[in-house]
Amino acid sequence: MLYLIGLGLGDKGISLEGLEMAQSCECYCDIYTSRIDLEAVAEVLGRKPIIASRSALEENAHILLEKAREDDVAILVGGDPLAATTHIELAMEARRQGIPCRIIHGASILTAVAETGLQAYKFGKVGSVVFPPRSNSTAYEVLEKNLSIGLHTLLLLDLDGDRYMDAAEAVEALLQEEQQTGKGLLQKDTQVVVCAGLGTSDARIWVGHADSVQRSGPYPQCLVIPGNLHFAEKDALASHTVPER
């Protein structure tokens, strides 16, 4: 049987059920779709998981599936296991081959972002901001569509090896898109929300103008561009707002 188990947010975010299953299986840890502290996982698990690279999860996934046909195999995934298409495809392929597959969910940034006080059902399509020189036109199109119907936009930030993109870099990349397109979606005085290290003891939420975002941790970070705000959401954001100097 194949188990896809979410590690949740932070070093100890795995559920009790997920932990019990991981300890009883041949256990792998996905290091492709998110950055994982393997030492922290090993401490919680009581043993070191086997590293699962991109190739192990995609072009060579048949090897893991053959193991799961004969024995219980667990793949640990940062956040929730179905937040990335890689794991959805793996689960679908297992079922196509008649291999039982069980999903054990974990906390995800997709719901944790509601800690900002913005209502979860008022978020539109999620976008991703990538490191230049790659284009961020797709992220800007997502932002444009969401704002056109009054919805908030959650923007996930790039990861390059061990380097996290921070919110200040993301704002800079989006302002470059604005300069090229002139759509008026993001200006220096646009209100933005920075979420840093959500799900950890160092979590921080900051609200202010786009040109005031500072480069500082913790990581990973994400960026939210609010759409139309309910009065309760305005009050919530005000509690996180840093006064302008």
Side-chain angles (χ1 to χ4, degrees), residues 139-188:
Y140 220 57
E141 289 169 5
V142 168
L143 176 61
E144 181 178 25
K145 176 64 175 178
N146 288 344
L147 289 178
S148 72
I149 52 178
L151 298 180
H152 312 315
T153 304
L154 169 61
L155 295 168
L156 307 179
L157 309 189
D158 205 359
L159 173 65
D160 183 11
D162 288 336
R163 183 190 171 206
Y164 286 112
M165 172 182 274
D166 63 38
E169 291 175 297
V171 167
E172 184 177 334
L174 293 173
L175 286 173
Q176 289 177 0
E177 285 294 324
E178 173 57 38
Q179 191 172 32
Q180 294 172 13
T181 63
K183 292 181 177 180
L185 305 179
L186 185 72
Q187 307 290 344
K188 291 183 178 181

Side-chain angles (χ1 to χ4, degrees), residues 220-239:
Q221 298 182 0
C222 65
L223 185 68
V224 178
I225 313 297
N228 296 340
L229 293 170
H230 183 271
F231 69 86
E233 293 178 306
K234 291 180 181 179
D235 289 344
L237 292 186
S239 71

Side-chain angles (χ1 to χ4, degrees), residues 92-133:
M92 291 175 60
E93 184 58 30
R95 288 163 180 156
R96 280 194 289 265
Q97 295 186 28
I99 300 169
C101 180
R102 172 87 191 282
I103 310 297
I104 300 179
H105 294 280
S108 167
I109 188 61
L110 301 179
T111 50
V113 70
E115 189 175 337
T116 60
L118 297 175
Q119 297 165 2
Y121 64 87
K122 290 181 62 181
F123 278 82
K125 184 176 180 179
V126 177
S128 297
V129 182
V130 298
F131 284 115

Side-chain angles (χ1 to χ4, degrees), residues 28-150:
Y28 294 79
C29 189
D30 166 20
I31 61 168
Y32 162 52
T33 59
S34 61
R35 183 180 175 187
I36 302 295
D37 185 338
L38 292 172
E39 290 186 3
V41 171
E43 182 179 350
V44 172
L45 198 61
R47 58 189 169 96
K48 290 184 178 180
I50 304 167
I51 292 175
S53 63
R54 178 177 184 175
S55 61
L57 297 169
E58 294 186 343
E59 58 263 32
N60 294 319
H62 62 279
I63 297 174
L64 283 174
L65 292 177
E66 282 305 311
K67 289 178 179 289
R69 189 186 301 277
E70 303 297 331
D71 203 352
D72 289 338
V73 172
I75 301 175
L76 304 179
V77 181
D80 187 88
L82 297 188
T85 54
T86 294
H87 310 115
I88 295 173
E89 178 56 34
L90 191 62
M92 291 175 60
E93 184 58 30
R95 288 163 180 156
R96 280 194 289 265
Q97 295 186 28
I99 300 169
C101 180
R102 172 87 191 282
I103 310 297
I104 300 179
H105 294 280
S108 167
I109 188 61
L110 301 179
T111 50
V113 70
E115 189 175 337
T116 60
L118 297 175
Q119 297 165 2
Y121 64 87
K122 290 181 62 181
F123 278 82
K125 184 176 180 179
V126 177
S128 297
V129 182
V130 298
F131 284 115
R134 288 182 293 166
S135 171
N136 279 293
S137 59
T138 299
Y140 220 57
E141 289 169 5
V142 168
L143 176 61
E144 181 178 25
K145 176 64 175 178
N146 288 344
L147 289 178
S148 72
I149 52 178

Side-chain angles (χ1 to χ4, degrees), residues 4-43:
L4 296 178
I5 301 174
L7 288 170
L9 302 172
D11 294 337
K12 298 179 180 179
I14 189 171
S15 68
L16 288 175
E17 182 183 20
L19 179 60
E20 289 174 0
M21 294 312 308
Q23 289 174 331
S24 66
C25 297
E26 181 174 348
C27 190
Y28 294 79
C29 189
D30 166 20
I31 61 168
Y32 162 52
T33 59
S34 61
R35 183 180 175 187
I36 302 295
D37 185 338
L38 292 172
E39 290 186 3
V41 171
E43 182 179 350

